[in-house]
Amino acid sequence: MKYINNSDYDYIMDKYHDSSKPFDAYSRFIRRDEIFDPATGMDGDKIKKEILLLDEKLCDLPHPVRKAKAFEF
């Protein structure tokens, strides 16, 4: 029985670690922006910058609300 197709499996396995490179247990959850198409949306650095700007505006709100707004963004 096949649960997941090969292209999906390869994407999941390479999401946080390039399987063609040696495995490093200390940097295995590093964001890999190169696997995403920049034409489909903002790049990772711009998203981080915008979220931090939004968080500065919401600094008086409770942490759970600020976190929810960051995820909403």
Side-chain angles (χ1 to χ4, degrees), residues 16-70:
Y16 295 108
H17 171 72
D18 187 353
S19 60
S20 66
K21 296 180 181 176
F23 181 72
D24 181 4
Y26 296 106
S27 65
R28 60 185 174 164
F29 294 115
I30 303 300
R31 190 179 76 212
R32 294 185 56 233
D33 290 336
E34 70 270 9
I35 65 173
F36 300 107
D37 182 6
T40 61
M42 289 188 274
D43 66 344
D45 293 328
K46 184 172 182 176
I47 291 171
K48 183 177 178 181
K49 181 179 138 191
E50 294 292 329
I51 288 174
L52 291 174
L53 288 173
L54 175 65
D55 190 57
E56 286 179 20
K57 295 176 188 174
L58 304 174
C59 66
D60 294 332
L61 295 175
H63 179 265
V65 174
R66 292 166 55 193
K67 184 175 180 179
K69 291 290 186 183

